[in-house]
Amino acid sequence: MRKHPLRWLEITTYGSDNSAAGAIAGITRAAPGSLIARFYGPAGAFETRTTKTDMGTTVHARYIGGPL
């Protein structure tokens, strides 16, 4: 994502809203204890959006800037 800033990319589809919310917290806030956070630091460098599907909640993310 850092090579293509501002381009939305699909992360994955989660079966529950709670799972999607946990991933979003890890991506946007670098939430402590989140395994996904280490790939999306520093906090605030990425933003997310979600879409509902028949399979659950799909999370998309994009790099919006920040220290490398």
Side-chain angles (χ1 to χ4, degrees):
M1 285 183 225
R2 293 179 195 274
K3 290 182 180 182
H4 304 286
L6 305 179
R7 182 184 297 174
W8 289 104
L9 296 174
E10 182 177 318
I11 304 302
T12 195
T13 299
Y14 293 90
S16 73
D17 289 342
N18 286 340
S19 295
I24 289 168
I27 293 168
T28 59
R29 297 191 313 257
S34 170
L35 296 177
I36 199 170
R38 63 184 168 156
F39 300 107
Y40 294 94
F46 292 82
E47 66 181 5
T48 60
R49 68 179 182 193
T50 60
T51 54
K52 291 289 197 175
T53 69
D54 291 339
M55 301 299 290
T57 302
T58 301
V59 175
H60 296 82
R62 67 180 179 173
Y63 178 69
I64 57 172
L68 296 177

Coordinates of all heavy atoms in Angstrom, one line a residue:
M1 N 0.8 -1.2 0.0 CA 0.0 0.0 0.0 C 0.9 1.3 0.0 O 0.5 2.3 -0.6 CB -0.9 0.0 1.2 CG -2.1 -0.9 1.1 SD -3.2 -0.8 2.5 CE -3.4 -2.5 2.8
R2 N 2.0 1.2 0.6 CA 2.9 2.3 0.7 C 3.4 2.7 -0.7 O 3.7 3.9 -1.0 CB 4.1 2.1 1.6 CG 3.7 2.0 3.1 CD 4.9 1.7 3.9 NE 4.5 1.3 5.3 CZ 4.2 2.0 6.3 NH1 4.3 3.3 6.1 NH2 3.9 1.5 7.5
K3 N 3.5 1.7 -1.6 CA 4.0 2.0 -3.0 C 2.9 2.6 -3.8 O 3.1 3.2 -4.8 CB 4.4 0.7 -3.6 CG 5.7 0.2 -3.1 CD 6.2 -1.0 -3.8 CE 7.5 -1.6 -3.2 NZ 7.9 -2.8 -3.9
H4 N 1.6 2.5 -3.4 CA 0.5 3.1 -4.1 C -0.4 3.8 -3.1 O -1.6 3.4 -2.8 CB -0.3 1.9 -4.8 CG 0.5 1.1 -5.7 ND1 1.0 1.6 -6.9 CD2 1.1 -0.1 -5.6 CE1 1.7 0.6 -7.5 NE2 1.8 -0.4 -6.7
P5 N 0.0 5.0 -2.6 CA -0.8 5.7 -1.6 C -2.2 6.0 -2.2 O -2.3 6.3 -3.4 CB 0.0 7.0 -1.4 CG 1.3 6.8 -2.0 CD 1.2 5.6 -3.0
L6 N -3.1 6.1 -1.3 CA -4.5 6.4 -1.5 C -5.3 5.4 -2.3 O -6.5 5.6 -2.6 CB -4.6 7.8 -2.2 CG -3.9 9.0 -1.4 CD1 -4.0 10.3 -2.1 CD2 -4.4 9.1 0.0
R7 N -4.7 4.3 -2.7 CA -5.4 3.3 -3.4 C -6.0 2.3 -2.4 O -5.3 1.7 -1.6 CB -4.5 2.5 -4.4 CG -5.2 1.4 -5.2 CD -4.3 0.6 -6.0 NE -3.7 1.4 -7.0 CZ -2.7 0.9 -7.9 NH1 -2.3 -0.3 -7.8 NH2 -2.2 1.7 -8.8
W8 N -7.3 2.1 -2.5 CA -8.0 1.2 -1.6 C -7.7 -0.3 -2.0 O -7.8 -0.6 -3.2 CB -9.5 1.4 -1.6 CG -10.0 2.6 -1.0 CD1 -10.4 3.8 -1.7 CD2 -10.1 2.9 0.4 NE1 -10.7 4.7 -0.7 CE2 -10.6 4.2 0.5 CE3 -9.8 2.2 1.5 CZ2 -10.8 4.8 1.8 CZ3 -10.1 2.8 2.8 CH2 -10.5 4.1 2.9
L9 N -7.3 -1.1 -1.0 CA -7.1 -2.5 -1.2 C -7.9 -3.3 -0.2 O -8.0 -2.9 0.9 CB -5.6 -2.8 -1.1 CG -4.7 -2.1 -2.1 CD1 -3.2 -2.4 -1.8 CD2 -5.0 -2.6 -3.5
E10 N -8.4 -4.4 -0.7 CA -9.2 -5.3 0.2 C -8.2 -6.0 1.1 O -7.2 -6.6 0.7 CB -10.0 -6.3 -0.6 CG -10.8 -7.2 0.2 CD -11.7 -8.1 -0.6 OE1 -12.3 -7.7 -1.7 OE2 -11.8 -9.3 -0.3
I11 N -8.5 -6.0 2.4 CA -7.8 -6.8 3.4 C -8.3 -8.2 3.4 O -7.6 -9.1 3.1 CB -7.8 -6.1 4.8 CG1 -7.3 -4.7 4.7 CG2 -7.0 -6.9 5.8 CD1 -5.9 -4.5 4.2
T12 N -9.5 -8.3 3.9 CA -10.2 -9.6 3.9 C -11.7 -9.4 4.3 O -12.0 -8.3 4.7 CB -9.5 -10.7 4.8 OG1 -10.0 -12.0 4.5 CG2 -9.7 -10.3 6.3
T13 N -12.5 -10.5 4.3 CA -13.8 -10.5 4.8 C -13.9 -11.2 6.1 O -13.4 -12.4 6.2 CB -14.8 -11.1 3.7 OG1 -14.7 -10.3 2.5 CG2 -16.2 -11.1 4.3
Y14 N -14.4 -10.6 7.1 CA -14.6 -11.2 8.4 C -16.0 -11.6 8.6 O -16.9 -11.0 8.2 CB -14.2 -10.1 9.5 CG -12.7 -9.8 9.5 CD1 -12.3 -8.7 8.7 CD2 -11.8 -10.5 10.2 CE1 -11.0 -8.4 8.6 CE2 -10.5 -10.2 10.1 CZ -10.0 -9.1 9.4 OH -8.7 -8.8 9.3
G15 N -16.2 -12.7 9.3 CA -17.5 -13.3 9.5 C -18.3 -12.5 10.5 O -19.6 -12.7 10.5
S16 N -17.7 -11.7 11.3 CA -18.5 -10.9 12.3 C -18.0 -9.5 12.3 O -16.9 -9.2 12.0 CB -18.3 -11.5 13.7 OG -17.0 -11.2 14.2
D17 N -18.9 -8.6 12.7 CA -18.6 -7.2 12.9 C -17.5 -7.0 13.9 O -16.6 -6.1 13.8 CB -19.8 -6.4 13.3 CG -20.8 -6.3 12.1 OD1 -20.5 -6.5 11.0 OD2 -22.0 -5.9 12.4
N18 N -17.5 -7.8 15.0 CA -16.5 -7.6 16.0 C -15.1 -7.9 15.5 O -14.1 -7.3 15.8 CB -16.8 -8.5 17.2 CG -17.9 -8.0 18.0 OD1 -18.3 -6.8 18.0 ND2 -18.5 -8.9 18.8
S19 N -15.0 -9.0 14.7 CA -13.7 -9.3 14.1 C -13.2 -8.2 13.2 O -12.0 -7.8 13.2 CB -13.7 -10.6 13.3 OG -14.0 -11.7 14.2
A20 N -14.1 -7.7 12.4 CA -13.7 -6.6 11.5 C -13.3 -5.3 12.3 O -12.3 -4.7 12.0 CB -14.9 -6.2 10.6
A21 N -14.0 -5.0 13.4 CA -13.7 -3.9 14.2 C -12.3 -4.0 14.8 O -11.6 -3.1 15.0 CB -14.8 -3.7 15.3
G22 N -12.0 -5.3 15.2 CA -10.6 -5.5 15.8 C -9.5 -5.2 14.8 O -8.5 -4.6 15.1
A23 N -9.8 -5.7 13.5 CA -8.8 -5.4 12.5 C -8.7 -3.9 12.2 O -7.6 -3.4 12.0 CB -9.2 -6.2 11.2
I24 N -9.8 -3.3 12.2 CA -9.8 -1.8 11.9 C -9.0 -1.1 13.0 O -8.2 -0.2 12.7 CB -11.2 -1.3 11.8 CG1 -11.8 -1.8 10.5 CG2 -11.3 0.2 11.9 CD1 -13.3 -1.6 10.4
A25 N -9.2 -1.5 14.2 CA -8.5 -0.8 15.3 C -7.0 -1.1 15.2 O -6.2 -0.1 15.4 CB -9.0 -1.4 16.7
G26 N -6.6 -2.2 14.8 CA -5.2 -2.5 14.6 C -4.6 -1.7 13.4 O -3.5 -1.2 13.5
I27 N -5.4 -1.5 12.4 CA -4.9 -0.8 11.2 C -4.8 0.7 11.5 O -3.8 1.4 11.2 CB -5.8 -1.0 10.0 CG1 -5.6 -2.5 9.6 CG2 -5.4 -0.1 8.9 CD1 -6.6 -3.0 8.6
T28 N -5.9 1.3 12.1 CA -5.9 2.8 12.2 C -5.3 3.3 13.5 O -4.8 4.4 13.4 CB -7.4 3.3 12.1 OG1 -8.1 2.6 13.2 CG2 -8.0 2.9 10.8
R29 N -5.3 2.5 14.5 CA -4.8 3.1 15.8 C -3.6 2.3 16.3 O -3.1 2.6 17.4 CB -5.9 3.0 16.9 CG -7.1 3.9 16.5 CD -8.1 4.0 17.7 NE -8.4 2.7 18.3 CZ -9.5 2.1 18.2 NH1 -10.5 2.5 17.4 NH2 -9.7 0.9 18.8
A30 N -3.2 1.3 15.6 CA -2.1 0.5 16.0 C -2.4 0.0 17.4 O -1.6 0.1 18.4 CB -0.7 1.2 16.0
A31 N -3.6 -0.6 17.6 CA -4.1 -1.0 18.9 C -3.1 -2.0 19.6 O -2.7 -3.0 18.9 CB -5.4 -1.6 18.8
P32 N -2.8 -1.8 20.8 CA -1.9 -2.7 21.5 C -2.5 -4.1 21.6 O -3.7 -4.3 21.7 CB -1.8 -2.1 22.9 CG -2.2 -0.7 22.8 CD -3.2 -0.6 21.6
G33 N -1.6 -5.1 21.3 CA -2.1 -6.4 21.4 C -2.6 -6.9 20.0 O -2.9 -8.1 19.9
S34 N -2.8 -6.1 19.1 CA -3.3 -6.5 17.8 C -2.2 -7.0 16.9 O -1.2 -6.3 16.7 CB -4.0 -5.3 17.1 OG -4.3 -5.6 15.8
L35 N -2.3 -8.2 16.4 CA -1.3 -8.8 15.6 C -1.2 -8.1 14.3 O -0.1 -8.0 13.7 CB -1.6 -10.3 15.4 CG -1.5 -11.1 16.6 CD1 -1.9 -12.6 16.3 CD2 -0.2 -11.1 17.3
I36 N -2.2 -7.5 13.8 CA -2.2 -6.8 12.5 C -1.6 -5.4 12.6 O -1.0 -4.9 11.6 CB -3.7 -6.7 12.0 CG1 -3.7 -6.4 10.5 CG2 -4.5 -5.6 12.7 CD1 -5.0 -6.5 9.8
A37 N -1.5 -4.8 13.8 CA -1.0 -3.5 13.9 C 0.4 -3.3 13.5 O 0.8 -2.3 12.9 CB -1.1 -3.0 15.4
R38 N 1.3 -4.3 13.7 CA 2.7 -4.2 13.3 C 2.9 -3.9 11.8 O 3.9 -3.4 11.4 CB 3.5 -5.4 13.8 CG 3.1 -6.7 13.1 CD 3.8 -7.8 13.7 NE 3.2 -9.0 13.3 CZ 3.8 -10.2 13.2 NH1 5.1 -10.3 13.6 NH2 3.2 -11.3 12.8
F39 N 1.9 -4.3 11.0 CA 2.1 -4.1 9.6 C 1.6 -2.7 9.1 O 1.8 -2.3 8.0 CB 1.3 -5.2 8.8 CG 1.8 -6.5 9.1 CD1 1.1 -7.4 9.9 CD2 3.1 -7.0 8.6 CE1 1.6 -8.7 10.2 CE2 3.6 -8.2 8.9 CZ 2.8 -9.1 9.7
Y40 N 0.8 -2.0 10.0 CA 0.1 -0.8 9.5 C 0.5 0.4 10.3 O -0.2 1.4 10.4 CB -1.4 -1.0 9.6 CG -1.9 -2.0 8.6 CD1 -2.0 -3.3 9.0 CD2 -2.1 -1.6 7.3 CE1 -2.5 -4.3 8.1 CE2 -2.6 -2.6 6.4 CZ -2.8 -3.9 6.8 OH -3.2 -4.8 5.9
G41 N 1.7 0.4 11.0 CA 2.1 1.5 11.8 C 2.8 2.6 10.9 O 3.1 2.4 9.7
P42 N 2.9 3.8 11.4 CA 2.5 4.2 12.7 C 1.0 4.5 12.7 O 0.4 4.6 11.7 CB 3.3 5.5 12.9 CG 3.5 6.0 11.6 CD 3.6 4.8 10.7
A43 N 0.4 4.7 13.9 CA -1.0 5.0 14.0 C -1.3 6.2 13.2 O -0.6 7.2 13.2 CB -1.3 5.2 15.5
G44 N -2.4 6.1 12.5 CA -2.9 7.2 11.6 C -2.3 7.2 10.2 O -2.7 8.1 9.4
A45 N -1.4 6.3 9.9 CA -0.9 6.3 8.5 C -1.8 5.6 7.5 O -1.6 5.7 6.3 CB 0.5 5.6 8.5
F46 N -2.8 4.9 8.0 CA -3.7 4.2 7.2 C -5.2 4.5 7.6 O -5.4 4.8 8.7 CB -3.5 2.6 7.3 CG -2.2 2.2 6.7 CD1 -1.1 2.2 7.5 CD2 -2.2 1.6 5.5 CE1 0.1 1.8 7.0 CE2 -1.0 1.2 4.9 CZ 0.2 1.3 5.7
E47 N -6.1 4.4 6.6 CA -7.5 4.6 6.9 C -8.2 3.4 6.4 O -7.7 2.7 5.5 CB -8.1 5.9 6.4 CG -8.1 6.1 4.9 CD -8.7 7.4 4.6 OE1 -9.0 8.3 5.4 OE2 -8.9 7.6 3.4
T48 N -9.4 3.1 6.9 CA -10.2 1.9 6.5 C -11.6 2.3 6.1 O -12.1 3.4 6.4 CB -10.2 1.0 7.7 OG1 -10.9 1.6 8.8 CG2 -8.9 0.5 8.1
R49 N -12.2 1.4 5.4 CA -13.7 1.4 5.2 C -14.1 0.0 5.1 O -13.4 -0.9 5.0 CB -14.0 2.2 3.9 CG -13.5 1.5 2.6 CD -13.9 2.2 1.4 NE -13.5 1.5 0.2 CZ -13.4 2.0 -1.0 NH1 -13.7 3.3 -1.2 NH2 -13.1 1.3 -2.0
T50 N -15.4 -0.2 5.3 CA -16.0 -1.5 5.3 C -17.2 -1.6 4.4 O -17.8 -0.6 4.1 CB -16.5 -2.0 6.7 OG1 -17.5 -1.1 7.2 CG2 -15.3 -2.0 7.7
T51 N -17.5 -2.8 3.9 CA -18.7 -3.1 3.1 C -19.3 -4.3 3.6 O -18.5 -5.3 4.0 CB -18.4 -3.2 1.6 OG1 -17.4 -4.2 1.4 CG2 -17.9 -1.9 1.0
K52 N -20.6 -4.4 3.7 CA -21.3 -5.6 4.1 C -21.5 -6.5 2.9 O -21.8 -6.0 1.8 CB -22.7 -5.2 4.7 CG -22.6 -4.5 6.0 CD -22.2 -5.5 7.0 CE -22.6 -4.9 8.4 NZ -22.3 -5.9 9.4
T53 N -21.2 -7.8 3.1 CA -21.4 -8.8 2.1 C -22.3 -9.9 2.6 O -22.5 -9.9 3.8 CB -20.1 -9.3 1.5 OG1 -19.5 -10.1 2.6 CG2 -19.2 -8.2 1.1
D54 N -22.6 -10.8 1.8 CA -23.4 -12.0 2.3 C -22.5 -12.9 3.2 O -23.0 -13.6 4.0 CB -23.8 -12.9 1.1 CG -24.9 -12.2 0.3 OD1 -25.6 -11.3 0.8 OD2 -25.1 -12.6 -0.9
M55 N -21.2 -12.7 3.1 CA -20.2 -13.5 3.9 C -19.8 -12.8 5.2 O -19.2 -13.4 6.0 CB -19.0 -13.8 3.0 CG -19.3 -14.6 1.8 SD -20.0 -16.2 2.0 CE -18.7 -17.1 2.8
G56 N -20.1 -11.5 5.3 CA -19.8 -10.8 6.5 C -19.4 -9.4 6.2 O -20.1 -8.7 5.5
T57 N -18.3 -8.9 6.8 CA -17.9 -7.5 6.7 C -16.5 -7.5 6.0 O -15.6 -8.1 6.6 CB -17.8 -6.8 8.0 OG1 -19.1 -6.9 8.6 CG2 -17.4 -5.4 7.9
T58 N -16.4 -6.9 4.9 CA -15.1 -6.8 4.2 C -14.4 -5.5 4.6 O -15.0 -4.4 4.5 CB -15.3 -6.8 2.6 OG1 -16.0 -8.0 2.3 CG2 -14.0 -6.7 1.9
V59 N -13.2 -5.6 4.9 CA -12.4 -4.4 5.3 C -11.4 -4.1 4.2 O -10.8 -4.9 3.6 CB -11.5 -4.7 6.6 CG1 -10.6 -3.6 6.9 CG2 -12.5 -5.1 7.8
H60 N -11.4 -2.8 3.8 CA -10.5 -2.2 2.9 C -9.6 -1.2 3.6 O -10.1 -0.6 4.6 CB -11.2 -1.5 1.7 CG -12.1 -2.4 0.9 ND1 -13.3 -2.8 1.3 CD2 -11.8 -3.0 -0.3 CE1 -13.8 -3.6 0.4 NE2 -12.9 -3.7 -0.6
A61 N -8.4 -1.0 3.2 CA -7.5 -0.1 3.8 C -6.7 0.6 2.7 O -6.5 0.1 1.6 CB -6.5 -0.7 4.8
R62 N -6.2 1.8 3.1 CA -5.3 2.5 2.2 C -4.3 3.4 3.0 O -4.6 3.8 4.1 CB -6.0 3.4 1.2 CG -6.7 4.6 1.8 CD -7.4 5.4 0.7 NE -8.1 6.6 1.3 CZ -8.7 7.5 0.5 NH1 -8.6 7.4 -0.8 NH2 -9.3 8.5 1.1
Y63 N -3.1 3.5 2.4 CA -2.1 4.3 3.0 C -2.3 5.8 2.7 O -2.5 6.1 1.6 CB -0.7 3.9 2.5 CG 0.5 4.6 3.0 CD1 0.8 4.5 4.4 CD2 1.2 5.5 2.2 CE1 1.9 5.2 4.9 CE2 2.3 6.2 2.7 CZ 2.6 6.0 4.1 OH 3.7 6.7 4.6
I64 N -2.3 6.6 3.8 CA -2.6 8.0 3.5 C -1.4 8.9 3.9 O -1.4 10.1 3.8 CB -3.8 8.5 4.3 CG1 -3.7 8.2 5.8 CG2 -5.1 7.9 3.7 CD1 -4.9 8.9 6.6
G65 N -0.3 8.3 4.4 CA 0.9 9.0 4.6 C 1.4 8.9 6.1 O 0.7 8.4 6.9
G66 N 2.6 9.2 6.3 CA 3.2 9.1 7.6 C 4.6 8.7 7.4 O 5.1 8.3 6.3
P67 N 5.4 8.7 8.5 CA 6.8 8.2 8.5 C 6.9 6.8 8.0 O 6.1 6.0 8.3 CB 7.2 8.3 9.9 CG 6.2 9.2 10.6 CD 4.9 9.0 9.8
L68 N 7.9 6.5 7.2 CA 8.2 5.2 6.8 C 9.1 4.5 7.7 O 10.0 5.0 8.3 CB 8.8 5.2 5.4 CG 8.0 5.8 4.3 CD1 8.7 5.8 3.0 CD2 6.7 4.9 4.1

